[in-house]
């Protein structure tokens, strides 16, 4: 046997001085305290350098104009204004005319005109801020109103009629007044081309005392989209003139009115106006109904027993010899 070291001899002597069970526990404890030998060294995980990681992502910017231009196309006007008010950068990016033109055409669902005289953000506000013609003038006559929608005037000639049937012929300009009295149709020339907004107005009867009369009059009110932005209209310089009238002296089933772009009178889209079953209310339904197409608009309200209607056609021009910028068709019970 080999010679034992001094430390091993001391350990043996100490072990003999303790009970057997205790000796075995301490021996196991000493073995556990010995360092373990590794067959292979532990290698750290390799990762990209921080500079490479940052450089790869630093090219993205939340203030990317093209990105927000696309986002803006999905927002309504109110949301656009709220977002534009958050910072100067958003104000510059979102108040550009091209964005508001897109949003305006999207919400009005009409083709864009060749040119306009005002900024598109102002045109959008004039169309969707809840304004109508009686807000500016004759508020005392107004009772209620309903927005119908927008249509396009591609020509300078409009046909106004109280009848929801296809006209046998279109009158000439010099016979417009006589034609309206006999047939209930009226033709207006020199219409301002572009986008027109149509509303249905309910107003008080103009021939009675406003404090005591319960009579009402239905008015199909159409205007060029730029009308409310003209100072001459706002201050009352432009006024409506009577361009035609017609009396129907027998019972009328309904109070109807329609405006057509003569150039597109025979279009497939316009034919929807003459398909009365698709939009006119059923008998005993007194709720006003309306239909609007790309180049026409029409309204109808069923009536109870009556003695007929008095129909008036009014037009407003932008100055004495200016273009027609607003049209009204009114039906009043006789």
């Amino acid at each position: 046997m080999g010679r034992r070291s001094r430390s091993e001899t001391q350990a043996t002597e100490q072990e003999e001085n303790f009970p057997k069970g205790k000796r075995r526990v301490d021996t196991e404890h000493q073995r556990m305290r010995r360092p373990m030998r590794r067959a292979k060294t532990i290698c750290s995980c390799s990762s990209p350098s921080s500079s490479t990681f940052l450089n790869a992502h630093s090219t993205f910017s939340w203030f990317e104009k093209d990105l927000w231009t696309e986002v803006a196309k999905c927002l309504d006007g109110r949301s656009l204004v709220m977002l534009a008010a958050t910072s100067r950068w958003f104000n510059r990016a979102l108040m550009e005319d091209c964005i508001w033109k897109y949003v305006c055409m999207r919400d009005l669902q009409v083709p864009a005109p060749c040119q306009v005289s005002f900024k598109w953000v102002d045109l959008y506000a004039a169309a969707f801020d809840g304004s109508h013609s009686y807000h500016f003038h004759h508020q005392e006559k107004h009772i209620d109103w309903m927005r119908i929608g927008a249509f396009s005037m591609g020509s300078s000639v409009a046909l106004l009629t109280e009848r929801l049937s296809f006209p046998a012929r279109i009158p000439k300009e010099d016979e417009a007044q006589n034609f309206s009295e006999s047939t209930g149709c009226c033709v207006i020339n020199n219409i301002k081309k572009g986008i027109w907004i149509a509303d249905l107005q309910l107003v008080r009867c103009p021939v009675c005392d406003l404090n005591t009369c319960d009579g009402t009059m239905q008015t199909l009110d159409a205007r060029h989209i730029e009308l409310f932005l003209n100072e001459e209209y706002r201050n009352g310089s432009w006024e409506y003139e009577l361009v035609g009238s017609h009396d129907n002296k027998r019972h009328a089933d309904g109070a109807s009115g329609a405006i057509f772009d003569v150039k597109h009178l025979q279009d497939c889209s316009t034919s929807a106006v003459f398909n009365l079953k698709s939009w006119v209310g059923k008998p005993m339904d007194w709720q006003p109904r309306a239909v609007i197409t790309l180049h026409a608009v029409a309204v109808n309200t069923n009536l109870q027993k009556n003695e007929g209607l008095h129909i008036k056609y009014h037009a407003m021009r932008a100055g004495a010899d200016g273009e027609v910028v607003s049209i009204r068709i009114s039906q009043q019970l006789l």
Side-chain angles (χ1 to χ4, degrees), residues 157-163 165-188 260-263 265-266 274 313:
V157 184
L159 172 67
L160 284 57
T161 177
E162 59 145 331
R163 299 181 180 180
S165 59
F166 196 87
R169 70 182 185 91
I170 306 300
K172 298 179 181 179
E173 184 177 3
D174 57 356
E175 61 176 355
Q177 180 62 35
N178 294 331
F179 194 83
S180 66
E181 292 178 355
S182 60
T183 65
C185 295
C186 180
V187 172
I188 301 180
F260 299 94
D261 182 347
V262 171
K263 179 181 177 180
L265 188 59
Q266 298 183 357
F274 306 117
Y313 305 108

Side-chain angles (χ1 to χ4, degrees), residues 145-162:
W145 73 295
M146 178 181 72
R147 169 60 49 85
I148 301 174
F151 64 101
S152 177
M153 285 296 300
S155 71
S156 59
V157 184
L159 172 67
L160 284 57
T161 177
E162 59 145 331

Side-chain angles (χ1 to χ4, degrees), residues 21-36:
K22 185 67 174 178
R23 262 184 246 153
R24 185 168 57 253
V25 173
D26 289 344
T27 302
E28 295 295 332
H29 177 68
Q30 290 174 359
R31 291 176 182 174
M32 293 176 63
R33 292 180 60 186
R34 295 176 184 175
M36 296 177 62

Side-chain angles (χ1 to χ4, degrees), residues 75-330:
L75 303 178
D76 59 15
R78 180 181 177 85
S79 300
L80 277 174
V81 172
M82 293 175 63
L83 184 57
T86 58
S87 70
R88 293 181 179 178
W89 187 91
F90 276 117
N91 186 271
R92 290 193 301 268
L94 300 182
M95 297 305 289
E96 289 194 357
D97 220 34
C98 61
I99 292 178
W100 285 96
K101 179 181 179 180
Y102 177 90
V103 174
C104 200
M105 296 302 96
R106 179 199 66 193
D107 292 352
L108 292 175
Q109 298 183 0
V110 291
C114 297
Q115 60 181 9
V116 293
S117 303
F118 299 90
K119 292 183 177 180
W120 280 103
V121 61
D122 297 327
L123 294 172
Y124 186 93
F128 293 102
D129 66 354
S131 298
H132 57 79
S133 58
Y134 286 91
H135 273 163
F136 299 92
H137 308 291
H138 310 299
Q139 295 186 24
E140 71 281 359
K141 296 181 179 180
H142 191 254
I143 299 175
D144 200 0
W145 73 295
M146 178 181 72
R147 169 60 49 85
I148 301 174
F151 64 101
S152 177
M153 285 296 300
S155 71
S156 59
V157 184
L159 172 67
L160 284 57
T161 177
E162 59 145 331
R163 299 181 180 180
L164 301 178
S165 59
F166 196 87
R169 70 182 185 91
I170 306 300
K172 298 179 181 179
E173 184 177 3
D174 57 356
E175 61 176 355
Q177 180 62 35
N178 294 331
F179 194 83
S180 66
E181 292 178 355
S182 60
T183 65
C185 295
C186 180
V187 172
I188 301 180
N189 293 275
N190 199 22
I191 301 289
K192 187 175 179 65
K193 298 179 182 179
I195 301 171
W196 281 63
I197 309 295
D199 299 323
L200 179 61
Q201 308 282 357
L202 183 64
V203 297
R204 292 185 173 87
C205 174
V207 297
C208 303
D209 189 325
L210 296 179
N211 295 324
T212 59
C213 178
D214 294 328
T216 59
M217 183 172 65
Q218 174 181 288
T219 300
L220 172 57
D221 188 6
R223 59 177 172 88
H224 193 271
I225 192 173
E226 298 180 2
L227 178 64
F228 291 172
L229 301 177
N230 287 277
E231 184 59 30
E232 293 84 354
Y233 170 78
R234 299 174 71 92
N235 62 25
S237 299
W238 297 347
E239 296 182 350
Y240 287 96
E241 59 178 295
L242 183 66
V243 295
S245 62
H246 172 66
D247 284 338
N248 178 12
K249 296 184 179 180
R250 61 176 182 270
H251 168 75
D253 293 330
S256 304
I259 302 173
F260 299 94
D261 182 347
V262 171
K263 179 181 177 180
H264 299 277
L265 188 59
Q266 298 183 357
D267 288 4
C268 293
S269 61
T270 305
S271 63
V273 175
F274 306 117
N275 184 13
L276 303 184
K277 293 183 179 180
S278 65
W279 66 276
V280 170
K282 297 180 180 180
M284 306 300 291
D285 181 0
W286 316 120
Q287 183 69 24
R289 305 289 180 176
V291 61
I292 196 161
T293 68
L294 191 57
H295 299 288
V297 60
V299 297
N300 178 79
T301 302
N302 291 332
L303 299 176
Q304 299 181 17
K305 188 66 176 179
N306 59 79
E307 297 179 357
L309 290 171
H310 178 55
I311 299 94
K312 291 183 179 180
Y313 305 108
H314 288 87
M316 176 185 287
R317 298 183 182 274
D321 299 320
E323 296 175 306
V324 175
V325 292
S326 185
I327 296 172
R328 283 178 176 173
I329 303 178
S330 302

